[in-house]
Amino acid sequence: MAKMQRLEKLDGFGNVQMVEVDVPAPGPDEVLVKVQRSLISRGSELFARYVKEEAVTARMMGYSDAGEVVEVGRSVEGIAVGHRAKVSAPHAQYVTNAATDGMTVYPLPDGLSYDAATFLPLAAGGVTWSRATPIEPGDTVAVLGQGLVGNLYAQAVRDRQPGKVIVVDATELRCRIARECGADEVINVMETDSVEAIKDLTGGRGADVVVECVGGTAGIKSFEQAQRMVKSDGTIHLIAKYQAGDGVPGSGLLPLDSGIMQRKQIIFGYWKSPRGATLQDVDDTVEMMMDGRMRIDPLITHRMPWQQTPEAYHLLYKDPASALGVIMEWD
């Protein structure tokens, strides 16, 4: 049987390695894709996989691949051998997944690169999240955290016609990329107090909407600040998660000041779209990528050969100030 390499998380903190396994065979409703590019999502992949002491199932190691369909199951319709596709699957030379919902395996239009296609799951999430946020045209929207999700949200929310998009982050790299992607105002919290800066930019009122995309341990302080930077009658939209990926009950608890939060509201996640991004959201995201409303190239800080996938994980964990979008090249 033909062999291939895929990423696995073995026992031990940060123990990610390339392992030789059999090339999978597609089931009746699946396709087999020869991967060309995959994207590492630092927020979800590292803190729910990398930091665990125990081994993690290989199918959890990644979910943003793009490549060429090389085999299709007998029940598959609408996707043929030779088609280019985005596929939700782990980091590996070949991957399979069911081609039944139009989203898990998404045929790529001409003109959308493999690089851009790897961002589709996160970018479509940004579009869906931005559509769930209560925003009126002309509102000031503050986006806390400029990782991939925060940046993509800040770009997608432009379609809601806000008056101003203010972004906040603690690293110069992400602040620079946010400027390049069109943020109206960029606040580096290492240089200024973000609460005071947003109050200054809004005439003392505070932002109409604050979107929290930091998450993790740092997100706890960010959430505290969000309560003080949103205006009376404003909304905080929590997108990030705050546990360390361990699933322990209570590890995602957040401090809530009921005195400050009087006359304000908090919403969580997709809110009005509980199943997440829809096929229409994905289609719209592709259109936004292709017409320039959503810029992907500035987010890519590293391209590395697939053999260095473990090194890419180490880089993102140990030196997040120097890397944002890391694409693995499998061709």
Side-chain angles (χ1 to χ4, degrees), residues 102-157:
M103 294 176 60
T104 304
V105 180
Y106 182 89
L108 299 178
D110 293 339
L112 188 72
S113 69
Y114 283 136
D115 283 357
T118 64
F119 283 82
L120 264 178
L122 292 177
V127 169
T128 305
W129 278 314
S130 72
R131 290 173 173 177
T133 309
I135 297 173
E136 297 293 333
D139 278 353
T140 294
V141 179
V143 184
L144 312 186
Q146 284 297 285
L148 293 179
V149 168
N151 183 292
L152 291 164
Y153 177 98
Q155 294 194 61
V157 80

Side-chain angles (χ1 to χ4, degrees), residues 28 41 46 50 70 73 86 94 104 119 129 159 169 187 208-209 227 245 249 252 267 275 292-293 305 313 327-328:
S41 174
L46 266 65
Y50 185 92
V70 294
K86 183 281 298 180
Y94 291 87
T104 304
F119 283 82
W129 278 314
D159 266 19
D169 202 88
I187 298 170
D208 298 286
V209 177
Q227 296 172 69
I267 63 172
R275 290 180 296 175
R293 282 176 289 162
Y313 271 68
I327 286 183
M328 308 314 302

Side-chain angles (χ1 to χ4, degrees), residues 88-201:
S88 299
H91 302 286
Q93 290 179 296
Y94 291 87
V95 295
T96 59
N97 214 328
T100 55
D101 61 4
M103 294 176 60
T104 304
V105 180
Y106 182 89
L108 299 178
D110 293 339
L112 188 72
S113 69
Y114 283 136
D115 283 357
T118 64
F119 283 82
L120 264 178
L122 292 177
V127 169
T128 305
W129 278 314
S130 72
R131 290 173 173 177
T133 309
I135 297 173
E136 297 293 333
D139 278 353
T140 294
V141 179
V143 184
L144 312 186
Q146 284 297 285
L148 293 179
V149 168
N151 183 292
L152 291 164
Y153 177 98
Q155 294 194 61
V157 80
R158 290 289 186 188
D159 266 19
R160 300 293 305 279
Q161 301 179 352
K164 182 179 293 184
V165 176
I166 304 170
V167 302
V168 178
D169 202 88
T171 67
E172 180 52 38
L173 172 69
R174 295 181 182 186
C175 287
R176 175 182 61 77
I177 293 172
R179 292 186 190 97
E180 190 173 350
C181 290
D184 295 309
E185 302 284 351
V186 180
I187 298 170
N188 187 332
V189 298
M190 301 304 292
E191 300 173 352
T192 187
D193 182 292
S194 58
V195 176
E196 292 303 318
I198 286 178
K199 289 292 184 68
D200 289 344
L201 289 168

Side-chain angles (χ1 to χ4, degrees), residues 2-330:
K3 300 292 184 179
M4 69 169 192
Q5 295 282 325
R6 75 179 180 196
L7 182 72
E8 294 194 7
K9 164 63 173 68
L10 308 176
D11 285 327
F13 177 94
N15 187 12
V16 287
Q17 297 183 25
M18 300 305 296
V19 176
E20 184 176 82
V21 297
D22 294 336
V23 174
D29 63 350
E30 294 182 330
V31 300
L32 176 67
V33 174
K34 184 179 188 298
V35 176
Q36 299 294 318
R37 299 287 187 272
S38 65
L39 173 69
I40 300 175
S41 174
R42 180 180 185 272
S44 58
E45 289 191 49
L46 266 65
F47 294 101
R49 285 82 162 168
Y50 185 92
V51 302
K52 288 180 177 289
E53 286 292 337
E54 65 270 24
V56 175
T57 179
R59 67 175 178 271
M60 290 182 63
M61 300 305 294
Y63 56 83
S64 300
D65 296 358
E68 180 182 348
V69 177
V70 294
E71 188 176 347
V72 299
R74 63 178 182 274
S75 301
V76 173
E77 298 179 354
I79 300 178
V81 171
H83 282 180
R84 301 164 63 250
K86 183 281 298 180
V87 56
S88 299
H91 302 286
Q93 290 179 296
Y94 291 87
V95 295
T96 59
N97 214 328
T100 55
D101 61 4
M103 294 176 60
T104 304
V105 180
Y106 182 89
L108 299 178
D110 293 339
L112 188 72
S113 69
Y114 283 136
D115 283 357
T118 64
F119 283 82
L120 264 178
L122 292 177
V127 169
T128 305
W129 278 314
S130 72
R131 290 173 173 177
T133 309
I135 297 173
E136 297 293 333
D139 278 353
T140 294
V141 179
V143 184
L144 312 186
Q146 284 297 285
L148 293 179
V149 168
N151 183 292
L152 291 164
Y153 177 98
Q155 294 194 61
V157 80
R158 290 289 186 188
D159 266 19
R160 300 293 305 279
Q161 301 179 352
K164 182 179 293 184
V165 176
I166 304 170
V167 302
V168 178
D169 202 88
T171 67
E172 180 52 38
L173 172 69
R174 295 181 182 186
C175 287
R176 175 182 61 77
I177 293 172
R179 292 186 190 97
E180 190 173 350
C181 290
D184 295 309
E185 302 284 351
V186 180
I187 298 170
N188 187 332
V189 298
M190 301 304 292
E191 300 173 352
T192 187
D193 182 292
S194 58
V195 176
E196 292 303 318
I198 286 178
K199 289 292 184 68
D200 289 344
L201 289 168
T202 58
R205 296 183 310 113
D208 298 286
V209 177
V210 176
V211 184
E212 215 302 296
C213 301
V214 177
T217 302
I220 296 174
K221 181 178 179 180
S222 182
F223 175 67
E224 291 177 322
Q225 294 171 330
Q227 296 172 69
R228 293 186 289 120
M229 63 177 60
V230 66
K231 72 166 189 174
S232 179
D233 294 331
T235 298
I236 297 174
H237 189 174
L238 295 183
I239 289 176
K241 293 185 178 181
Y242 303 88
Q243 71 273 19
D246 53 15
V248 175
S251 62
L253 294 179
L254 292 170
L256 180 65
D257 190 320
S258 60
I260 294 176
M261 286 303 297
Q262 294 294 323
R263 296 179 57 82
K264 303 173 184 179
Q265 71 172 347
I266 302 176
I267 63 172
F268 292 82
Y270 289 115
W271 190 40
K272 294 187 295 185
S273 182
R275 290 180 296 175
T278 66
L279 183 56
Q280 185 62 58
D281 292 331
V282 178
D283 290 340
D284 292 345
T285 302
V286 169
E287 184 177 338
M288 293 168 73
M289 286 181 175
M290 296 184 69
D291 67 18
R293 282 176 289 162
M294 185 172 282
R295 300 186 61 193
I296 299 302
D297 284 349
L299 303 178
I300 303 171
T301 59
H302 294 74
R303 292 180 175 86
M304 302 172 69
W306 64 266
Q307 295 92 337
Q308 295 181 7
T309 306
E311 287 77 8
Y313 271 68
H314 302 326
L315 168 68
L316 283 166
Y317 182 78
K318 296 176 181 178
D319 193 12
S322 70
L324 185 56
V326 177
I327 286 183
M328 308 314 302
E329 300 179 333
W330 298 83

